[in-house]
Each structure stands twice: as C-alpha cells, then as structure tokens.
C-alpha cells in the first residue's frame, strides 16, 4: 500500500510562493503518473497538475497554468509542486495521489488520501 505524506503548506500573501512536497512509500512510485489535487472549503476536490512517471510530460489545470510547476525525484520517491504568484482562490488543502486520465479528465488512482497540506493565501 502506498502512503502519501504532503507538506510545505502555510499562510502566504497574494503574489507569494510556496513549494509543496509529497513523500511516498512503496516501490512502485517511479512507475506511477503522479498528480496534485486540491479541495477548497465547501467545494469538491479538483485536479491541479500531473506529471508522468519519468517527468517527461506535465499537464495543468487552466486555473494554475503558468503559475505552478510540478516536478518529481524518483530517487527520493517525492513529487513537488512549486506555486508562484499565488492568489486567494488558491486557498485549499492540497493532496497528492497517483493519477489517471479517464475521458479527458484526470482522476486519483488510490482511494485513500494523505492528510493533505493547507495553503492559505491572504489578499
């Protein structure tokens, strides 16, 4: 079973930056497409970004394109999310999970989630 541990969130002013990390366990990490998802208060969890198993391909939600960058280090079983030019609407709990594309949309693979990391952007 893969464990997911997110970290790096915090309180930041609009326009600021944060770097999130997701440490995973399990030997299969390096073969997985990994993604970041987020859930704002009162809203459903939504897709943010995804990266292929070797880091060669990335894809972003329109709302974060050009501001966020996903990366990974397979030697460390870790995936990252660099978030720049943060906006108040980026406020959410951020989660990582393996990801798969179904019908043109990205969805989580694992049914269980980590604890997430809170990102709060003040205006």
């Amino acid at each position: 079973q893969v464990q997911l541990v997110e970290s790096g969130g915090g309180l930041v002013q609009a326009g600021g930056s944060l770097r999130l990390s997701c440490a995973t366990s399990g030997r299969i990490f390096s073969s997985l497409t990994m993604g970041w998802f987020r859930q704002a208060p009162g809203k459903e969890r939504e897709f943010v970004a995804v990266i292929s198993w070797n880091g060669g391909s990335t894809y972003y939600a329109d709302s974060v394109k050009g501001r966020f960058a996903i990366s990974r280090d397979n030697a460390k079983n870790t995936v990252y999310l660099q978030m720049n030019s943060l906006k108040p609407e980026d406020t959410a709990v951020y989660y990582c999970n393996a990801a798969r594309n179904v019908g043109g949309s990205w969805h989580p693979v694992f049914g269980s989630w980590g604890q997430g990391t809170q990102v709060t952007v003040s205006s």
Side-chain angles (χ1 to χ4, degrees), residues 36-111:
W36 284 95
F37 300 81
R38 67 186 182 186
Q39 187 168 21
K43 296 187 177 181
E44 293 187 353
R45 192 152 16 201
E46 64 176 2
F47 164 76
V48 175
V50 68
I51 186 167
S52 61
W53 68 274
N54 63 353
S57 297
T58 58
Y59 187 78
Y60 300 90
D62 287 343
S63 58
V64 306
K65 200 173 297 182
R67 300 188 297 121
F68 290 10
I70 188 171
S71 60
R72 67 190 297 160
D73 185 338
N74 285 347
K76 296 182 178 179
N77 284 356
T78 301
V79 62
Y80 305 97
L81 187 68
Q82 178 67 43
M83 305 187 297
N84 300 324
S85 302
L86 282 161
K87 303 176 181 180
E89 51 263 46
D90 294 319
T91 295
V93 179
Y94 284 71
Y95 303 87
C96 67
N97 203 317
R100 61 180 177 179
N101 191 286
V102 180
S105 298
W106 289 98
H107 297 270
V109 171
F110 302 127

Side-chain angles (χ1 to χ4, degrees), residues 22-37:
C22 170
T24 72
S25 63
R27 298 179 178 178
I28 63 172
F29 171 81
S30 61
S31 67
L32 295 174
T33 294
M34 293 296 298
W36 284 95
F37 300 81

